[in-house]
Amino acid sequence: MSGRAHEAGALHQDMGHRGPEWLRAPADVNALLPALWSRSVAREDDGELAVAGHRVGALAAQFGTPLFVLDVADFKARCRDFVTAFAGADVFYAGKAFLSKAVVRWVAECGLHLDVCTGGELAVALAADFPPERLGLHGNNKSVAELGRALDVGVGRIVVDSFDEIDRLTALARERGVRPRVLVRTTCGVEAHTHEFIATAHEDQKFGLSLSGGAALAAALRIIDDGVLDLVGLHSHIGSQIFDTAGFEVAARRILGLAAQVRDARGVDLPELDLGGGFGIAYTSQDDPASPKELADRMRAIVADECRARALPEPRLSIEPGRALIGPAMLTLYEVGTVKDVDGIRTYVSVDGGMSDNIRTALYGATYSATLASRRSAAGPLLARIVGKHCESGDIVVSDEFLPSDVRPGDLVAVPGTGAYGRSMASNYNHVPRAAVVAVEGDEARVIVRRETEDDLLRLDVG
Ligand SMILES: *Cc1c(COP(=O)(O)O)cnc(C)c1O
């Protein structure tokens, strides 16, 4: 088995199936690149991976696989690092990345605010007693029920996204005799994905109100003139997995230009500015994220410069990281089921989850890394593709990664950086029960989201 797998590895080289250009066979296939893993991940002396001292074999035996393992100390440290770096600004955790009652409590404890974008996310926040005045409500199609509930519980701010919503919210606020704080979500023609951003004039997407087309200004003026909603600021979110702050710079320049237009038209200085989230994390050796301190320094400088240039008072800044807080704090543990060499072209390592616990690879070609977690291996590196158990050939977890060539059924494989948009986008495709999330901290390993069972699946099926 190991010999054949090794041959297949050699064939990869001969036939040019080397994976992406940047991927190199590691000198030691057991080595862990610290940037990819939560802070308390390490190999024990015998080579087994552990999170905060909890061995993956024991976690898998107790809780089953696939399993999300959340390193609580790591998550809290990332939250506190952002709060410290952005002192004087508000840090909203973008709950859509991963939300559970335990996460809500940690976010509150670390002094963050919390963004939700549906009634369901709002319900989780309220179930964990999150202070409503520290909640933000997002979404491009909030229902009357969602907006009404947000007003009734007293959320701190609502980011409005359309004229229909402004009308809807104005009516609801009038009915209730309340004056909710709102920001106008603008699209400023900046789109950022990983290492690149583009700044265009047109803004063809569903989110926000166009800056270049004048809709954002019209919305701000309508809110001010109606006098029912309390317009506190402008909002922009330019994308995700961003490494280059130049995108934020262009966005801030354009959005503060709009703030100046509002001031010129109505004599109103908007006291807040939200520059959104999207800060990148390391999924592979190619990603080199900036520290929260670097981000904060850069963003503050951009806003200060731009305000000075336009003679605007500096607004209170807010940001909305999701991925950067929870992404690196979790890994997914899978058990290998089959190892298949396909005509010497590629080795497919099938694991017991897949697109039901991580849709990102199939959805937008996301890249991930992986390591053999249950043991150390002396075998050489084998270029593998880690795939799931679903009925789709695009059901890929990790497109290209070097695993030891003796990888075999029963091994555990760990994929780092799966905390954001893994469990939160999970599905029941093929009636696979959704995976559990276990939080490890000190001596404790505790289920915070339990694994679904067949009973759970059948409970919804009322015949
Ligand atoms: C998704 C989203 C975020 C968070 O994005 P990350 O890439 O997880 O940091 C922040 N703000 C808004 C408006 C979003 O839609």
Side-chain angles (χ1 to χ4, degrees), residues 214-235:
L217 177 62
L221 299 185
R222 183 192 291 189
I223 294 169
I224 291 170
D225 293 344
D226 279 353
V228 177
L229 311 177
D230 181 12
L231 180 67
V232 295
L234 303 172
H235 174 281

Side-chain angles (χ1 to χ4, degrees), residues 92 94 96-97 115 117 138 159 185 207 235-237 239-242 274 276-280 319-325 420-421:
F92 284 73
K96 70 179 200 249
D115 267 348
C117 53
H138 266 288
V159 181
R185 178 157 180 177
F207 291 111
H235 174 281
S236 141
H237 172 70
S240 59
Q241 190 58 359
I242 301 165
D274 191 313
F279 313 116
I319 55 157
E320 307 174 313
R323 181 192 320 270
L325 298 175
Y421 311 106

Side-chain angles (χ1 to χ4, degrees), residues 149-222:
R149 186 166 188 204
L151 294 183
D152 292 339
V153 303
V155 306
R157 67 186 211 182
I158 298 174
V159 181
V160 296
D161 192 283
S162 66
F163 289 104
D164 288 325
E165 181 186 349
I166 292 170
D167 293 343
R168 205 172 283 165
L169 187 60
T170 301
L172 290 167
R174 268 211 183 94
E175 263 169 43
R176 286 166 171 74
V178 294
R179 187 171 160 79
R181 304 169 74 255
V182 302
L183 284 82
V184 170
R185 178 157 180 177
T186 68
T187 39
C188 53
V190 177
E191 209 183 311
H193 298 290
T194 66
H195 298 273
E196 290 171 20
F197 80 93
I198 50 169
T200 59
H202 87 105
E203 297 142 3
D204 185 6
Q205 56 142 320
K206 75 167 184 171
F207 291 111
L209 289 149
S210 164
L211 215 143
S212 65
L217 177 62
L221 299 185
R222 183 192 291 189

Side-chain angles (χ1 to χ4, degrees), residues 54-76:
H54 297 264
R55 287 171 174 264
V56 293
L59 292 172
Q62 188 177 353
F63 302 109
T65 51
L67 183 69
F68 289 97
V69 183
L70 197 169
D71 181 341
V72 181
D74 182 273
F75 176 63
K76 290 184 184 171

